[in-house]
Amino acid sequence: MILLDGKKVSKEIIANLKERREKINDNIKLAIVWVGNNPASEIYINNKKKQCAKINVLCDVYHLDEDSKENEVLELIDKLNNDKTVTGILVQSPLPNGIDETKCFNKIDPKKDIDGFSNISVGNLYLGRPKLVSCTPKGIIRLLEYYSIDLEGKNVCLINRSNIVGKPLFHLLISKNATVTMCHSKTRNLKDITKSADIVISAVGKPKFITADMVRDGAIVVDVGISRIDGKVVGDVDFASVSEKASYITPVPGGVGPMTIAMILENILIAKESE
Ligand code: NAP
């Protein structure tokens, strides 16, 4: 079994991005819009700040109150869109109830849309002309590529159909000529599908959702899920038993998560280079 070591690969990618950044003789700035006080968001934001600093990218957090109105958030995004010192914008999810996330994502200028969630970014991806692509799906593809895993003709069972993971990942996988079966909570006989797949990608958010009897010998298993048990981060996959059957497998933590962060940094540089 070979570990798909996102921690190691992301470190290499970030080192290369640092060199790429050094060739740009200008300030680069990420603006993060944070509404409310979700404690998990605070951890994610602090990590993004830390990672930006590694490649000399400025990171400003625009923090609005929990009871802010949707209009105030949209106005802030508009201000950041028009601010020439801002290279890229991220709206930290989740937003408080009453604020339409999709509307906020779509307000971001596609040229500054680091998460790739705006209609234009999504449309470009779906039409096979990706520009700024959603970071988790992009990070998964990059991780598979690093280990020379050829996707052409492979049967992939993708368990997730969300806008941030499953849908963009589906398009990236088919663009690499994989045959993708997209599963979700209404899928029947999931085990039959996972068992016949060359690659299983699970992003459900339920610990031990993927057990050894669900994968074939030699399968490649990518665990996107993040859950917390007694303060410990775990994925969807019962790692101890599944890793005995898999040929390649991602750990959690240290698999897809660090790749996502590396792709955020890469997208900031792409945004700057395309100005
Ligand atoms: P989500 O919108 O809740 O999506 C969960 C998906 O799992 C849905 O498509 C859902 O189906 C499906 N599902 C739920 N129960 C199922 C079942 N019993 N059988 C088959 N499918 C089932 O969540 P998300 O935002 O996409 O995130 C998914 C997971 O990935 C979470 O754990 C999240 O924390 C993690 N994540 C990790 C990263 C990272 O960087 N590592 C980034 C993003 C997300 P329906 O569509 O039918 O509801």
Side-chain angles (χ1 to χ4, degrees):
M1 179 275 292
I2 295 172
L3 204 65
L4 296 167
D5 188 346
K7 204 169 161 188
K8 182 189 95 173
V9 178
S10 66
K11 263 192 192 152
E12 277 184 33
I13 292 174
I14 292 172
N16 289 333
L17 290 174
K18 190 163 181 269
E19 282 180 22
R20 188 162 145 191
R21 191 271 172 265
E22 277 162 10
K23 296 198 180 98
I24 302 169
N25 187 21
D26 197 3
N27 279 341
I28 304 179
K29 185 157 81 184
L30 173 68
I32 300 180
V33 176
W34 180 25
V35 189
N37 292 301
N38 183 306
S41 292
E42 188 167 13
I43 295 171
Y44 290 135
I45 288 169
N46 284 337
N47 190 29
K48 284 170 192 164
K49 279 165 82 172
K50 206 172 101 194
Q51 301 300 328
C52 282
K54 281 188 185 163
I55 64 161
N56 189 21
V57 164
L58 304 167
C59 180
D60 283 354
V61 180
Y62 295 80
H63 195 179
L64 298 180
D65 289 342
E66 179 85 25
D67 56 4
S68 299
K69 300 271 171 293
E70 187 178 272
N71 247 4
E72 295 172 66
V73 183
L74 294 172
E75 273 167 26
L76 170 60
I77 296 171
D78 217 23
K79 202 180 101 193
L80 297 170
N81 281 339
N82 293 318
D83 183 338
K84 288 199 163 54
T85 69
V86 171
T87 316
I89 304 168
L90 284 182
V91 173
Q92 185 65 43
S93 182
L95 291 171
N97 288 339
I99 301 180
D100 183 340
E101 208 162 73
T102 309
K103 219 166 160 181
C104 294
F105 291 152
N106 199 34
K107 186 75 179 171
I108 300 172
D109 180 341
K111 292 198 191 81
K112 299 188 177 189
D113 179 20
I114 301 307
D115 266 333
F117 294 155
S118 70
N119 292 358
I120 300 229
S121 303
V122 169
N124 283 330
L125 173 64
Y126 290 13
L127 293 170
R129 294 185 204 147
K131 291 197 169 79
L132 291 171
V133 175
S134 184
C135 300
T136 299
K138 188 176 169 182
I140 292 168
I141 298 290
R142 195 62 72 74
L143 187 59
L144 295 172
E145 280 175 353
Y146 183 92
Y147 286 88
S148 305
I149 294 169
D150 186 11
L151 289 163
E152 184 158 320
K154 294 274 165 51
N155 286 323
V156 180
C157 171
L158 169 58
I159 316 171
N160 184 295
R161 60 171 164 180
S162 72
N163 290 336
I164 64 162
V165 181
K167 286 178 191 160
L169 184 52
F170 174 86
H171 286 274
L172 292 175
L173 289 164
I174 57 166
S175 76
K176 302 275 177 199
N177 297 323
T179 303
V180 187
T181 308
M182 191 178 230
C183 302
H184 46 76
S185 65
K186 305 291 185 286
T187 298
R188 291 188 194 152
N189 305 324
L190 180 65
K191 189 172 160 185
D192 292 343
I193 303 170
T194 56
K195 272 213 96 150
S196 65
D198 302 308
I199 303 177
V200 175
I201 305 177
S202 182
V204 173
K206 292 184 181 158
K208 302 207 173 167
F209 183 78
I210 301 291
T211 46
D213 58 323
M214 291 174 76
V215 299
R216 69 163 179 77
D217 281 326
I220 296 163
V221 180
V222 176
D223 190 351
V224 191
I226 297 178
S227 308
R228 278 183 179 77
I229 298 180
D230 300 330
K232 205 174 145 233
V233 174
V234 297
D236 289 352
V237 175
D238 181 13
F239 188 87
S241 63
V242 175
S243 60
E244 284 183 7
K245 286 178 97 179
S247 56
Y248 294 85
I249 187 167
T250 56
V252 176
V256 174
M259 293 301 293
T260 300
I261 293 281
M263 293 303 106
I264 291 174
L265 298 182
E266 184 174 278
N267 277 357
I268 298 167
L269 292 195
I270 293 173
K272 183 68 188 178
E273 288 161 350
S274 323
E275 270 178 357

